[in-house]
Coordinates of all heavy atoms in Angstrom, one line a residue:
Y17 N 0.8 -1.2 0.0 CA 0.0 0.0 0.0 C 0.8 1.3 0.0 O 0.3 2.4 -0.1 CB -0.9 0.0 1.2 CG -1.9 -1.2 1.3 CD1 -1.8 -2.1 2.3 CD2 -2.8 -1.3 0.4 CE1 -2.6 -3.1 2.4 CE2 -3.7 -2.4 0.4 CZ -3.6 -3.3 1.5 OH -4.5 -4.3 1.6
G18 N 2.1 1.2 0.1 CA 3.0 2.3 0.3 C 2.8 3.4 -0.7 O 2.7 4.6 -0.3
D19 N 2.9 3.1 -2.0 CA 2.8 4.2 -3.0 C 1.4 4.9 -2.9 O 1.3 6.1 -3.0 CB 3.0 3.6 -4.4 CG 4.4 3.3 -4.7 OD1 5.3 3.8 -4.0 OD2 4.6 2.4 -5.6
R20 N 0.4 4.1 -2.6 CA -1.0 4.7 -2.5 C -1.1 5.6 -1.3 O -1.8 6.6 -1.4 CB -2.0 3.6 -2.5 CG -2.1 2.9 -3.9 CD -2.8 1.6 -4.0 NE -4.2 1.9 -3.8 CZ -5.1 0.9 -3.7 NH1 -4.7 -0.4 -3.8 NH2 -6.4 1.2 -3.6
V21 N -0.4 5.2 -0.3 CA -0.5 6.1 0.9 C 0.3 7.4 0.7 O -0.2 8.5 1.0 CB 0.2 5.3 2.2 CG1 0.4 6.3 3.3 CG2 -0.6 4.2 2.6
I22 N 1.4 7.3 0.0 CA 2.2 8.5 -0.3 C 1.4 9.4 -1.3 O 1.4 10.6 -1.1 CB 3.6 8.1 -1.0 CG1 4.4 7.4 0.0 CG2 4.3 9.3 -1.6 CD1 4.9 8.2 1.2
I23 N 0.7 8.9 -2.2 CA -0.1 9.7 -3.1 C -1.2 10.4 -2.3 O -1.5 11.6 -2.5 CB -0.7 8.8 -4.2 CG1 0.4 8.4 -5.2 CG2 -1.9 9.5 -5.0 CD1 0.0 7.3 -6.2
E24 N -1.9 9.7 -1.4 CA -2.9 10.2 -0.6 C -2.4 11.4 0.3 O -3.0 12.4 0.5 CB -3.6 9.2 0.3 CG -4.7 9.7 1.2 CD -5.8 10.4 0.5 OE1 -6.2 10.1 -0.6 OE2 -6.4 11.3 1.2
I25 N -1.2 11.2 0.9 CA -0.6 12.2 1.7 C -0.3 13.4 0.9 O -0.5 14.6 1.3 CB 0.7 11.7 2.4 CG1 0.4 10.5 3.4 CG2 1.4 12.8 3.1 CD1 -0.5 10.9 4.6
G26 N 0.2 13.2 -0.3 CA 0.4 14.3 -1.2 C -0.8 15.1 -1.5 O -0.8 16.4 -1.5
K27 N -1.9 14.4 -1.8 CA -3.2 15.1 -2.0 C -3.6 15.9 -0.8 O -4.1 17.0 -1.0 CB -4.3 14.1 -2.4 CG -4.1 13.4 -3.7 CD -5.2 12.4 -3.9 CE -5.1 11.7 -5.2 NZ -6.1 10.6 -5.4
R28 N -3.5 15.3 0.4 CA -3.9 16.1 1.5 C -3.0 17.3 1.7 O -3.6 18.4 2.1 CB -3.7 15.2 2.8 CG -4.7 14.0 2.9 CD -4.5 13.2 4.1 NE -5.3 12.1 4.1 CZ -5.4 11.2 5.2 NH1 -4.6 11.4 6.2 NH2 -6.2 10.2 5.2
L29 N -1.7 17.2 1.5 CA -0.9 18.4 1.7 C -1.3 19.4 0.7 O -1.4 20.6 1.0 CB 0.6 17.9 1.5 CG 1.2 17.1 2.6 CD1 2.6 16.6 2.2 CD2 1.3 17.9 3.9
R30 N -1.5 19.0 -0.6 CA -1.9 20.0 -1.6 C -3.2 20.7 -1.2 O -3.3 21.9 -1.5 CB -2.1 19.3 -2.9 CG -1.3 19.9 -4.1 CD -1.4 19.1 -5.4 NE -0.7 17.9 -5.4 CZ -1.1 16.7 -5.5 NH1 -2.4 16.5 -5.6 NH2 -0.3 15.6 -5.5
Q31 N -4.1 20.0 -0.6 CA -5.4 20.6 -0.3 C -5.3 21.5 0.9 O -6.1 22.3 1.2 CB -6.4 19.5 0.0 CG -6.8 18.7 -1.2 CD -7.7 17.5 -0.9 OE1 -7.8 17.1 0.2 NE2 -8.2 16.9 -1.9
S32 N -4.2 21.4 1.7 CA -4.0 22.1 3.0 C -3.2 23.4 2.8 O -3.1 24.2 3.8 CB -3.3 21.2 4.0 OG -4.0 20.1 4.3
I33 N -2.6 23.6 1.6 CA -1.8 24.8 1.4 C -2.5 25.7 0.4 O -3.4 25.3 -0.3 CB -0.4 24.5 1.0 CG1 -0.4 23.7 -0.4 CG2 0.3 23.7 2.0 CD1 1.0 23.4 -0.9
R34 N -2.1 27.0 0.3 CA -2.6 27.9 -0.6 C -2.1 27.7 -2.0 O -1.1 27.0 -2.2 CB -2.3 29.4 -0.2 CG -2.7 29.7 1.2 CD -2.1 31.0 1.6 NE -0.6 30.8 1.7 CZ 0.2 31.5 2.3 NH1 -0.2 32.6 2.8 NH2 1.5 31.2 2.3
E35 N -2.8 28.2 -3.0 CA -2.4 28.1 -4.4 C -1.0 28.7 -4.6 O -0.2 28.3 -5.5 CB -3.4 28.8 -5.3 CG -4.0 27.8 -6.3 CD -5.0 28.5 -7.3 OE1 -4.5 29.2 -8.2 OE2 -6.2 28.3 -7.0
S36 N -0.7 29.8 -3.9 CA 0.5 30.5 -4.0 C 1.8 29.7 -3.4 O 2.9 30.0 -3.7 CB 0.5 31.9 -3.4 OG 0.2 31.8 -2.0
D37 N 1.5 28.7 -2.6 CA 2.5 27.9 -2.0 C 2.9 26.7 -2.9 O 2.2 26.5 -3.9 CB 2.1 27.2 -0.7 CG 1.7 28.3 0.4 OD1 2.4 29.4 0.4 OD2 0.8 28.1 1.2
T38 N 4.0 26.1 -2.7 CA 4.6 25.0 -3.6 C 4.8 23.8 -2.8 O 5.3 23.9 -1.7 CB 5.9 25.5 -4.2 OG1 5.7 26.7 -5.0 CG2 6.4 24.5 -5.2
I39 N 4.4 22.7 -3.3 CA 4.8 21.4 -2.8 C 5.4 20.5 -3.8 O 5.0 20.6 -5.0 CB 3.5 20.7 -2.2 CG1 3.8 19.3 -1.6 CG2 2.4 20.5 -3.3 CD1 2.7 18.7 -0.9
S40 N 6.3 19.7 -3.5 CA 6.9 18.8 -4.4 C 7.4 17.5 -3.6 O 7.7 17.5 -2.5 CB 8.1 19.3 -5.1 OG 9.2 19.5 -4.2
R41 N 7.4 16.4 -4.4 CA 7.8 15.2 -3.8 C 9.3 15.1 -4.1 O 9.7 15.0 -5.3 CB 7.1 14.0 -4.4 CG 7.3 12.7 -3.8 CD 6.4 11.6 -4.3 NE 6.8 10.3 -3.9 CZ 6.2 9.2 -4.3 NH1 5.2 9.3 -5.1 NH2 6.6 8.0 -3.9
T42 N 10.1 15.2 -3.1 CA 11.6 15.3 -3.4 C 12.3 14.0 -3.4 O 13.4 13.9 -3.8 CB 12.2 16.2 -2.3 OG1 12.0 15.6 -1.0 CG2 11.7 17.6 -2.4
D43 N 11.7 13.0 -2.8 CA 12.3 11.6 -2.8 C 11.1 10.6 -2.7 O 9.9 11.0 -2.6 CB 13.2 11.5 -1.6 CG 14.1 10.3 -1.6 OD1 14.2 9.6 -2.6 OD2 14.8 10.1 -0.6
R44 N 11.4 9.4 -2.6 CA 10.3 8.4 -2.6 C 9.2 8.6 -1.5 O 8.1 8.5 -1.7 CB 10.9 7.0 -2.4 CG 9.9 5.9 -2.4 CD 10.6 4.5 -2.5 NE 9.7 3.5 -2.2 CZ 8.9 2.9 -3.2 NH1 9.0 3.3 -4.4 NH2 8.1 1.9 -2.9
E45 N 9.7 9.0 -0.3 CA 8.8 9.2 0.8 C 8.9 10.6 1.4 O 8.7 10.7 2.6 CB 9.0 8.1 1.9 CG 8.8 6.7 1.3 CD 9.2 5.6 2.3 OE1 9.7 5.9 3.4 OE2 8.9 4.5 2.0
T46 N 9.4 11.6 0.7 CA 9.7 12.9 1.2 C 9.0 14.0 0.4 O 9.1 13.9 -0.8 CB 11.2 13.1 1.3 OG1 11.9 12.0 1.9 CG2 11.5 14.4 2.0
F47 N 8.4 14.9 1.1 CA 7.8 16.1 0.4 C 8.6 17.3 0.9 O 9.0 17.4 2.0 CB 6.4 16.2 0.8 CG 5.5 15.1 0.2 CD1 5.2 14.0 0.9 CD2 4.9 15.2 -1.1 CE1 4.4 13.0 0.4 CE2 4.2 14.2 -1.6 CZ 3.9 13.1 -0.9
G48 N 8.7 18.3 0.0 CA 9.2 19.6 0.3 C 8.1 20.7 0.1 O 7.3 20.5 -0.8
L49 N 8.0 21.6 1.0 CA 7.0 22.7 0.8 C 7.7 24.0 0.9 O 8.6 24.2 1.7 CB 6.0 22.6 2.0 CG 5.2 21.3 2.0 CD1 5.3 20.6 3.3 CD2 3.8 21.7 1.7
L50 N 7.3 25.0 0.1 CA 7.7 26.3 0.1 C 6.5 27.2 0.4 O 5.5 27.2 -0.4 CB 8.3 26.8 -1.2 CG 9.6 26.1 -1.6 CD1 10.0 26.5 -3.0 CD2 10.7 26.5 -0.6
L51 N 6.5 27.8 1.6 CA 5.3 28.6 2.0 C 5.7 30.0 2.3 O 6.7 30.2 3.0 CB 4.7 28.0 3.3 CG 4.5 26.4 3.2 CD1 4.1 25.9 4.6 CD2 3.4 26.1 2.3
K52 N 5.0 30.9 1.8 CA 5.2 32.3 2.2 C 4.5 32.6 3.5 O 3.3 32.6 3.6 CB 4.8 33.3 1.1 CG 5.1 34.7 1.4 CD 4.7 35.6 0.3 CE 5.0 37.1 0.7 NZ 4.6 38.0 -0.3
V53 N 5.3 32.9 4.5 CA 4.7 33.1 5.9 C 5.3 34.4 6.3 O 6.5 34.7 6.3 CB 5.2 32.0 6.9 CG1 4.6 32.2 8.2 CG2 4.7 30.6 6.3
T54 N 4.4 35.3 6.8 CA 4.7 36.6 7.1 C 5.1 36.8 8.6 O 5.8 37.7 9.0 CB 3.7 37.7 6.8 OG1 2.4 37.2 7.4 CG2 3.5 37.7 5.3
K55 N 4.6 35.9 9.4 CA 4.9 36.0 10.9 C 5.3 34.6 11.4 O 4.8 33.6 10.9 CB 3.7 36.5 11.6 CG 3.3 37.9 11.4 CD 2.1 38.4 12.2 CE 1.8 39.8 11.9 NZ 0.7 40.3 12.7
E56 N 6.1 34.6 12.4 CA 6.5 33.3 13.0 C 5.3 32.5 13.5 O 5.3 31.3 13.4 CB 7.5 33.6 14.1 CG 8.2 32.3 14.6 CD 9.3 32.6 15.6 OE1 10.0 33.6 15.5 OE2 9.5 31.8 16.5
T57 N 4.3 33.2 14.1 CA 3.2 32.5 14.6 C 2.4 31.8 13.5 O 1.8 30.8 13.7 CB 2.2 33.5 15.4 OG1 1.9 34.6 14.5 CG2 2.9 34.0 16.7
H58 N 2.4 32.4 12.3 CA 1.7 31.8 11.2 C 2.4 30.5 10.8 O 1.7 29.5 10.5 CB 1.6 32.7 10.0 CG 0.8 33.9 10.2 ND1 0.9 35.1 9.5 CD2 -0.2 34.2 11.1 CE1 0.0 36.0 9.9 NE2 -0.7 35.5 10.9
A59 N 3.7 30.5 10.8 CA 4.5 29.3 10.5 C 4.1 28.2 11.4 O 4.0 27.0 11.0 CB 6.0 29.6 10.5
S60 N 4.0 28.5 12.7 CA 3.7 27.5 13.7 C 2.2 26.9 13.4 O 2.1 25.7 13.5 CB 3.7 28.1 15.1 OG 3.4 27.2 16.0
L61 N 1.3 27.8 13.1 CA 0.0 27.4 12.9 C -0.1 26.4 11.6 O -0.8 25.4 11.6 CB -1.0 28.6 12.7 CG -1.3 29.4 14.0 CD1 -2.0 30.6 13.6 CD2 -2.0 28.5 15.0
V62 N 0.6 26.9 10.6 CA 0.6 26.1 9.3 C 1.3 24.7 9.6 O 0.8 23.7 9.2 CB 1.4 26.8 8.2 CG1 1.6 25.9 7.0 CG2 0.6 28.1 7.8
S63 N 2.3 24.7 10.4 CA 3.0 23.4 10.7 C 2.1 22.5 11.4 O 2.0 21.3 11.1 CB 4.2 23.7 11.5 OG 5.2 24.4 10.8
E64 N 1.4 23.0 12.4 CA 0.4 22.1 13.2 C -0.6 21.6 12.3 O -1.0 20.4 12.4 CB -0.1 23.0 14.3 CG 0.8 23.3 15.5 CD 0.3 24.2 16.5 OE1 -1.0 24.2 16.7 OE2 1.0 24.8 17.2
K65 N -1.2 22.5 11.4 CA -2.3 22.1 10.5 C -1.8 20.9 9.6 O -2.5 19.9 9.4 CB -2.7 23.2 9.7 CG -3.8 22.9 8.6 CD -4.1 24.1 7.8 CE -5.1 23.8 6.7 NZ -5.3 24.9 5.9
L66 N -0.6 21.1 9.1 CA 0.0 20.1 8.1 C 0.2 18.8 8.9 O 0.0 17.7 8.4 CB 1.2 20.6 7.4 CG 1.0 21.7 6.5 CD1 2.3 22.3 6.0 CD2 0.2 21.3 5.3
L67 N 0.8 18.8 10.1 CA 1.1 17.6 10.9 C -0.2 16.9 11.2 O -0.3 15.7 11.1 CB 1.8 17.9 12.1 CG 3.3 18.3 11.9 CD1 3.9 18.8 13.2 CD2 4.1 17.1 11.4
Q68 N -1.2 17.6 11.5 CA -2.5 17.0 11.8 C -3.1 16.3 10.6 O -3.6 15.2 10.6 CB -3.5 18.0 12.3 CG -4.8 17.5 12.7 CD -5.8 18.5 13.2 OE1 -5.5 19.7 13.3 NE2 -7.0 18.1 13.6
T69 N -2.9 17.0 9.4 CA -3.5 16.5 8.2 C -2.9 15.2 7.8 O -3.5 14.2 7.4 CB -3.3 17.5 7.0 OG1 -4.0 18.7 7.3 CG2 -3.7 16.9 5.7
I70 N -1.5 15.0 8.0 CA -0.8 13.8 7.6 C -0.9 12.7 8.7 O -0.6 11.6 8.5 CB 0.6 14.1 7.1 CG1 1.5 14.6 8.3 CG2 0.6 15.0 5.9 CD1 2.9 14.7 7.9
S71 N -1.3 13.1 9.9 CA -1.4 12.2 11.0 C -2.7 11.3 11.0 O -2.8 10.3 11.6 CB -1.3 12.9 12.3 OG 0.0 13.4 12.5
E72 N -3.7 11.8 10.2 CA -5.0 11.1 10.1 C -4.8 9.8 9.3 O -4.0 9.8 8.4 CB -6.0 12.0 9.5 CG -6.3 13.2 10.3 CD -7.3 14.2 9.6 OE1 -7.7 13.9 8.5 OE2 -7.5 15.3 10.2
P73 N -5.4 8.7 9.8 CA -5.3 7.4 9.1 C -5.7 7.6 7.6 O -6.5 8.4 7.2 CB -6.2 6.5 9.8 CG -6.5 7.1 11.1 CD -6.3 8.6 10.9
V74 N -5.1 6.8 6.7 CA -5.4 6.7 5.3 C -6.2 5.5 5.0 O -5.8 4.4 5.5 CB -4.1 6.7 4.5 CG1 -4.4 6.5 3.0 CG2 -3.3 7.9 4.7
E75 N -7.3 5.6 4.3 CA -8.1 4.4 4.0 C -7.8 3.9 2.6 O -7.9 4.7 1.6 CB -9.6 4.7 4.1 CG -10.5 3.5 3.9 CD -11.9 3.8 4.1 OE1 -12.3 4.8 4.7 OE2 -12.7 2.9 3.7
I76 N -7.4 2.7 2.5 CA -7.1 2.0 1.2 C -7.8 0.6 1.3 O -7.5 -0.2 2.1 CB -5.6 1.9 0.9 CG1 -5.0 3.3 0.9 CG2 -5.4 1.1 -0.3 CD1 -3.5 3.3 0.7
E77 N -8.6 0.4 0.3 CA -9.3 -0.9 0.2 C -9.9 -1.3 1.5 O -9.7 -2.5 2.0 CB -8.3 -2.0 -0.3 CG -7.8 -1.7 -1.8 CD -6.8 -2.8 -2.2 OE1 -6.7 -3.8 -1.5 OE2 -6.2 -2.6 -3.2
D78 N -10.7 -0.4 2.1 CA -11.4 -0.7 3.3 C -10.6 -0.9 4.5 O -10.9 -1.5 5.5 CB -12.4 -1.8 3.1 CG -13.5 -1.5 2.1 OD1 -13.9 -0.3 2.0 OD2 -14.0 -2.4 1.4
R79 N -9.3 -0.5 4.4 CA -8.3 -0.7 5.5 C -7.9 0.7 6.0 O -7.5 1.5 5.1 CB -7.1 -1.5 5.1 CG -7.4 -3.0 4.9 CD -6.2 -3.7 4.5 NE -6.5 -5.1 4.4 CZ -5.7 -6.1 4.7 NH1 -4.5 -5.8 5.1 NH2 -6.0 -7.3 4.5
L80 N -7.8 0.9 7.3 CA -7.2 2.1 7.8 C -5.8 1.9 8.1 O -5.4 1.0 8.8 CB -8.0 2.6 9.0 CG -9.4 3.1 8.8 CD1 -10.0 3.5 10.2 CD2 -9.3 4.3 7.9
I81 N -5.0 2.8 7.5 CA -3.5 2.7 7.7 C -3.1 3.9 8.5 O -3.3 5.0 8.1 CB -2.8 2.6 6.4 CG1 -3.2 1.4 5.6 CG2 -1.3 2.6 6.6 CD1 -2.7 1.3 4.3
S82 N -2.6 3.7 9.7 CA -2.3 4.8 10.6 C -0.9 5.1 10.6 O -0.1 4.4 10.0 CB -2.7 4.4 12.1 OG -1.9 3.4 12.6
K83 N -0.5 6.3 11.2 CA 0.9 6.7 11.2 C 1.8 5.6 11.9 O 2.9 5.4 11.4 CB 1.0 8.0 12.0 CG 2.3 8.6 12.0 CD 2.3 10.1 12.5 CE 2.3 10.0 14.0 NZ 2.5 11.4 14.6
A84 N 1.3 5.0 12.9 CA 2.1 3.9 13.5 C 2.4 2.8 12.5 O 3.5 2.3 12.5 CB 1.3 3.3 14.7
N85 N 1.4 2.4 11.7 CA 1.7 1.4 10.7 C 2.7 1.9 9.6 O 3.5 1.1 9.2 CB 0.4 1.0 9.9 CG -0.7 0.4 10.8 OD1 -1.7 0.9 11.0 ND2 -0.2 -0.7 11.4
L86 N 2.6 3.2 9.3 CA 3.6 3.7 8.3 C 5.0 3.7 8.9 O 5.9 3.6 8.1 CB 3.1 5.2 8.0 CG 1.8 5.2 7.3 CD1 1.5 6.7 7.0 CD2 1.8 4.5 5.9
A87 N 5.1 3.9 10.1 CA 6.5 4.0 10.7 C 7.0 2.6 11.1 O 8.1 2.4 11.6 CB 6.4 4.8 12.0
G88 N 6.2 1.5 10.9 CA 6.6 0.2 11.1 C 6.5 -0.2 12.6 O 7.1 -1.2 13.0
Q89 N 5.7 0.5 13.4 CA 5.6 0.2 14.8 C 4.5 -0.7 15.1 O 3.6 -0.8 14.4 CB 5.4 1.5 15.6 CG 6.6 2.5 15.4 CD 6.4 3.8 16.1 OE1 5.3 4.0 16.6 NE2 7.3 4.7 15.9

């Protein structure tokens, strides 16, 4: 399920950022984001939002795959 999970995480990240921001898949399991943030507090809020977004389980073929499963725990 690995590739499908990565694709879903990418979609979630794309939906969580503004059109003016940039996201790219930099490696097999790594994403890079370029965000224009005007205040340090905004950066913190955006980071928390993105972490929450990718922490939610991914459903594939009626199975929920959680962050713990992704980390091999």
